[in-house]
Amino acid sequence: MHPGEFLTILAPLSGPIVPIESVPDPVFADKVVGDGISIDPTTRTLLAPCDATVTQLHAARHAITLSAAGGVEIMIHVGIDTVGLKGEGFTALVKQGDRVSAGQALLEFDADHILRNAPSLLTQIILLSGETSAIVERASGVATAGASRLMSVGPRRKAADDAQRASSAGEAGASRPPPRATVGVTSAVVAVPNPHGLHARPAAVLASEARSFAAAISVELAGRNANAKSVVALLNLGAGPGAELRIVASGSEAARAVARLVELVRSGLGEDLSAAPAAPERAAPASPAPAPRETRATDDARRFHGVSAAPGLAIGPVCKIDPLAVEVEEHATDTEAELARLQKALLHTRLELKQLVAGSGKRAEQAEIFSAHLTMLDDPDVITRAEVAIVEGKSAAFAWREAVMSSYRELARQSNPLLAARANDLRDVGGRALRHLAGGDEAQAAPAGSVVVAETLTPSEVVRLADQGVAGLVSVLGGTTSHAAILARSLGVPYLVGAPGALLDLEAGATAVLDADEAALLLHPTDAELDAYRDRLGARRALRARQEAAAAERAVTRDGVHVAVLANIASADDARTAVRLGAEGVGLLRTELMFFDRATAPTEADQTAAYQAIADALGERPLTIRTLDVGGDKPLSYMPLPAEDNPLLGIRGLRIGALHPTILRSQLRAILAARASGAHRVLLPMVSSLDELLEAKQVLEEERRRAGSPPVELGVMVEVPSVAIQADRFAAEVDFFSIGTNDLTQYTLAMDRTHPRLAGRQDALHPAVLRLIDATVQAARRRERHVGICGAVASDPEAVAVLIGLGVTELSVSVQAMPEVKSKIRELDAARCREIAKAALDLGTAAEVRALLSPGARPG
């Protein structure tokens, strides 16, 4: 190693060395902040890894930034999500501006306190000056604080040439053999062939492929470089068509990585290079690919098609909104003050969301969603990006807005379904905090009776706009099972998602007809068209009034078959509304709501009181309580789960009970303690195997015997194809089935149900899904078990006929949908429904099934 050219970074803590890619936090694992190494510490005093100046000590004292020789900047971040501790457990031994020597104590921390209150104690040593520096040597094994050489850093251009020489100079640690040498490789110039340059989709392909290699990889353009594993960094390069790139990599797979990435860039990174260049890409992604029934060919340029997320008809002037369009100052001089402003804004936003939860009243879905938003305020990705920008001299408002918008664009535009599903929620939370930072008023208002058009609509925007009396909602982004869609349906506001991006260029004020029933928006309707739509609207309102008037009557087909119509609820207020609208019971009580927005799980007494209030509201009607269904995209702050590449296929639903058995047992005891006049049922979510069921069944029986409670019915959610396929085996162990068609559809079709680009293809009436429902019903019938459906398809009046025909005798629907569903059942003949179902099972697509059910198109 040549003196003066490479900087030795010593281990600041003792403990096992962990590759940065293995850290359970995407901000660090994907090197959004920079390349580095992690240590799982066994010591409690953080030492300076080199001679340096303290350039920043975070207000929460969990992170410190050092500036060393040659412009090298190092950040040391103790733990994961430790910013939320607000300094508790940390003691700073230096201050900003201090000059420190290698091995000098920087801060001390209480490891026990951190482990009790944060997901991990893993400590990251990150190279921030990635534009000018590179890691050319890194250690492995076990580090000794102040003694082991953790990594060597050199000038970026020099690093690629000298990495091989540098890695062989000396041992990497005091008691270990030298680490494996890393090899620096630089590609020849490769031109970007894509018509729009390195925009979101090709950048995502490049980053995804880069992450598969054990190498540090960057992309260079005109003297600038970007982490090849970060989509945001690649987009920030601004590589247009024909841009000349070089790919630089170091590590054991450097040569393979460079060769593969050059090949990908030359081939267009998944884009069709033969296609004619289109208009410049908007900030919004391409519209979701809608189902065939929603994409009828039309010569009418005034008509725009999308996907219906909430049914209904609306007429009014177009109003465009953009809640994140806030003017802010870009630069600031007082870094500490700006960091404090950011934390204060996050605190105010948290309080605001808590007030929204408390004021949600009977809107249970609204309260549940805002509670979930509370867990997103400390998103490490966004906060880290904002803090880095503040350290670089940006104002807190500007840094936060850019961090939110950057992450939002990345999430919304990429193909990762889980990230795309979170984009709207992140934008909502970010917009709230930005208003506090910018000192602005409440988000942009919309006139009553207007049809709102936006790139995307967040849950709080849906609630706010509904309160303002808007007639309908249209967005370019969004899915039919998104939080925003759930709220729109519950509030009775027509909502069209997946609309063409061209709508964002419309002038406000144009008269529009939103026909969400037909998944279309018509602009500039003629007088004759307006008259026809107004007639439909009047007829629709009159029909709803008749349906509500008859809601208390039983739902019996014309040939005498009774179909029980129950409600999906989340609170006692929901239960009371459901009873008023004719519910025969509750087929699904979502218990997640009471577990959100808490530092610890609710007590058994709290849970029992909630269950008892619901049972009292129902009287003699049956109550089905689903055990805690979290995980995936519904995390709990006090229940850290392991990092997963695909949480929707990981630890969620009943699997949480195996990981946290005390929470499952506590909930079961609370359920058993509630006394109900009607039938008492326990429903287990996300069951996939008999082993899972039998283990949970044993736990329930143990708790029942201890409590001396009478037996309760036990059922399983049919959400995973394996349960439907083995329904005969499951029927021998349970009292009933409840089919969750939302998850069953996504797992059968291998499509994330919240993915905006796949929203139109998600249809529970796909014959493959119907066959699984049929198999479940047939197996249950042989064991004399009843089968209900609690997924969204049960609330779809168009689907009721085929469900009855398959032998489903219980539909659990959204509260507002009950009058219409009951009315639909009374119009049907069960014998004819069986003929329809038999024919549907032999069809090939959901569109064909829909055509079978609705042979005539609606007028207008």
Side-chain angles (χ1 to χ4, degrees), residues 288-298 305-308 517-520 749 751 757-763 765-767 798 844-851 857:
R293 69 190 183 100
E294 286 123 359
T295 56
R296 299 180 308 278
T298 177
H305 293 282
V307 181
S308 178
D517 295 333
E518 292 297 312
L749 302 182
M751 294 181 185
R757 298 183 188 176
L758 300 177
R761 300 180 184 179
Q762 284 282 328
D763 196 333
L765 292 186
H766 192 289
E798 187 177 329
T845 68
E848 292 174 340
V849 175
R850 294 269 178 195

Side-chain angles (χ1 to χ4, degrees), residues 656-667:
I656 296 286
L659 196 63
H660 298 274
T662 56
I663 288 182
L664 175 62
R665 286 184 178 274
S666 175
Q667 184 174 31

Side-chain angles (χ1 to χ4, degrees), residues 56-65 75-78 90 107:
Q56 195 238 338
L57 177 62
H58 194 281
R61 299 187 292 280
H62 69 298
I64 187 167
T65 302
M75 181 183 73
I76 306 176
H77 190 288
V78 181
F90 293 93
L107 60 85

Side-chain angles (χ1 to χ4, degrees), residues 26-58:
V27 174
F28 295 119
D30 293 345
K31 302 180 184 178
V32 172
V33 183
D35 197 5
I37 291 179
S38 184
I39 294 178
D40 193 357
T42 57
T43 53
R44 305 298 181 254
T45 300
L46 187 73
L47 306 182
C50 59
D51 295 343
T53 300
V54 179
T55 53
Q56 195 238 338
L57 177 62
H58 194 281

Side-chain angles (χ1 to χ4, degrees), residues 106-394:
L106 301 177
L107 60 85
E108 295 176 344
F109 53 88
D110 183 341
D112 293 336
H113 178 79
I114 295 173
L115 288 172
R116 285 194 302 269
N117 296 282
S120 172
L121 192 56
L122 283 173
T123 296
Q124 287 61 246
I125 301 88
I126 303 296
L127 176 65
L128 296 180
S129 52
E131 294 83 359
T132 58
S133 310
I135 300 173
V136 296
E137 177 189 11
R138 66 187 77 212
S140 60
V142 179
T144 301
S148 297
R149 186 170 59 225
L150 192 64
M151 56 187 177
S152 292
V153 176
R156 172 161 291 280
R157 293 191 179 277
K158 188 69 173 175
D161 297 332
D162 294 349
Q164 178 66 49
R165 262 200 322 257
S167 63
S168 63
E171 294 184 344
S175 58
R176 297 173 291 100
R180 184 176 180 179
T182 58
V183 180
V185 178
T186 301
S187 75
V189 170
V190 54
V192 175
N194 305 68
H196 301 297
L198 200 61
H199 62 96
R201 284 183 291 278
V205 172
L206 181 61
S208 176
E209 189 71 15
R211 290 170 189 165
S212 68
F213 292 98
I217 311 170
S218 65
V219 176
E220 294 187 349
L221 171 63
R224 295 177 295 119
N225 64 79
N227 179 1
K229 299 181 181 181
S230 168
V231 175
V232 174
L234 290 172
L235 294 176
N236 286 339
L237 275 179
E244 297 184 338
L245 309 178
R246 287 185 187 272
I247 298 174
V248 180
S250 62
S252 58
E253 293 186 310
R256 289 182 56 237
V258 168
R260 174 57 179 158
L261 297 184
V262 166
E263 175 189 356
L264 273 178
V265 171
R266 286 174 175 163
S267 65
L269 292 160
E271 286 198 319
D272 182 2
L273 302 182
S274 64
E281 189 178 64
R282 300 189 55 87
S287 302
R293 69 190 183 100
E294 286 123 359
T295 56
R296 299 180 308 278
T298 177
D299 294 327
D300 193 345
R302 302 171 300 147
R303 192 178 299 271
F304 298 83
H305 293 282
V307 181
S308 178
L313 185 64
I315 303 171
V318 169
C319 173
K320 297 194 298 182
I321 64 171
D322 183 4
L324 280 176
V326 178
E327 293 296 328
V328 297
E329 291 292 332
E330 180 175 355
H331 301 286
T333 56
D334 191 336
T335 297
E336 287 299 322
E338 294 302 306
L339 289 169
R341 286 186 62 215
L342 176 60
Q343 292 303 316
K344 183 178 180 180
L346 295 178
L347 174 61
H348 286 172
T349 306
R350 188 175 295 107
L351 294 174
E352 181 179 293
L353 285 169
K354 288 182 178 180
Q355 291 170 355
L356 282 171
V357 172
S360 294
K362 297 180 180 181
R363 297 174 178 174
E365 294 97 340
Q366 175 181 335
E368 181 176 3
I369 290 166
F370 290 144
S371 295
H373 283 186
L374 281 161
T375 67
M376 299 182 67
L377 276 180
D378 288 328
D379 185 291
D381 188 347
V382 181
I383 290 179
T384 300
R385 289 180 181 180
E387 289 178 339
V388 169
I390 290 172
V391 170
E392 292 174 346
K394 305 299 184 182

